[in-house]
Amino acid sequence: MLQVTADQISLFVATLAVAILSPGPGIIAVSQSAFAMGRRRALPYAWGLALGASLWCLAALLGLTVLFRVFPWTFTALKFLGGAYLVWVAWKMWRHAPDPLPDPAESRLGMSFWGGMALNLSNPKPALFYSAVLLSIFPATLSLADKAAIYATALSVELSFYTALACLMALPLLRRRYYAAKFWIDRGAGLAIGLLGLSLILRH
């Protein structure tokens, strides 16, 4: 029998929804992929981003944040590696900004299901966010069924958000605007993700 209540789950969903709406590399990346590739090819990337984000909830439920507290260097190492990965992704966006649009029959580097998952796994800070939210909303002791229900909720919210965003950004009007300003949009997206990566490396 579940210990968590419907009110707790509702509060969790509301808190998560607000947090997801804050600008981050996932939002920038899925928007840019939907602009460039359209809905059908952006959706797997969006689902990878959603799964990657939700895995930090699973990590928090399984106690990864305890490891960060006991061995702070592990969090520092993950932040550095994640930041370096984001900077690499940003460099690829910046460098390929002048390139023509990809052929729909070809795969675009990094914009796959696994590329999306890797991008959102590159930032360990959501593990701390999820840990704080879980501790503030739910009982300290959770059964396996409770943890499964919480993770399923987080995954559902992440999937719903990224799917909706990919579909919205792939609308013909927005895509036409992207075609007209591809160079500057790609450069702007690369710069934003690069700055996020650097802040992850440099911020204590």
Side-chain angles (χ1 to χ4, degrees), residues 98-112:
D99 295 352
L101 287 168
D103 188 321
E106 299 174 358
S107 79
R108 187 166 183 181
L109 181 63
M111 289 189 175
S112 63

Side-chain angles (χ1 to χ4, degrees), residues 185-202:
I185 292 174
D186 286 5
R187 283 280 168 96
L191 180 61
I193 290 181
L195 290 174
L196 288 168
L198 288 174
S199 71
L200 190 60
I201 294 171
L202 300 175

Side-chain angles (χ1 to χ4, degrees), residues 18-150:
V18 171
I20 289 175
L21 289 173
S22 62
I27 290 179
I28 297 167
V30 75
S31 299
Q32 198 259 358
S33 69
F35 287 150
M37 301 188 300
R39 182 183 62 185
R40 184 177 64 84
R41 297 205 45 239
L43 279 174
Y45 186 59
W47 295 333
L49 286 162
L51 180 60
S54 73
L55 287 177
W56 286 121
C57 175
L58 184 61
L61 287 167
L62 296 178
L64 179 63
T65 48
V66 175
L67 175 67
F68 290 160
R69 284 196 294 269
V70 175
F71 301 106
W73 66 267
T74 59
F75 182 64
T76 301
L78 276 175
K79 281 206 308 176
F80 180 82
L81 291 173
Y85 178 73
L86 290 178
V87 170
W88 179 80
V89 169
W91 166 243
K92 299 295 284 186
M93 284 186 174
W94 182 277
R95 194 179 71 167
H96 290 290
D99 295 352
L101 287 168
D103 188 321
E106 299 174 358
S107 79
R108 187 166 183 181
L109 181 63
M111 289 189 175
S112 63
F113 176 85
W114 298 109
M117 191 164 71
L119 184 71
N120 262 350
L121 285 175
S122 67
N123 181 6
K125 286 190 173 182
L128 301 179
F129 165 78
Y130 270 114
S131 180
V133 170
L134 294 174
L135 288 173
S136 64
I137 295 177
F138 299 106
T141 304
L142 294 169
S143 68
L144 186 60
D146 291 322
K147 292 180 180 180
I150 293 169

Side-chain angles (χ1 to χ4, degrees), residues 2 4 9 12 61 143-155:
L2 294 178
V4 297
I9 291 292
F12 179 56
L61 287 167
S143 68
L144 186 60
D146 291 322
K147 292 180 180 180
I150 293 169
Y151 175 69
T153 300
L155 178 59

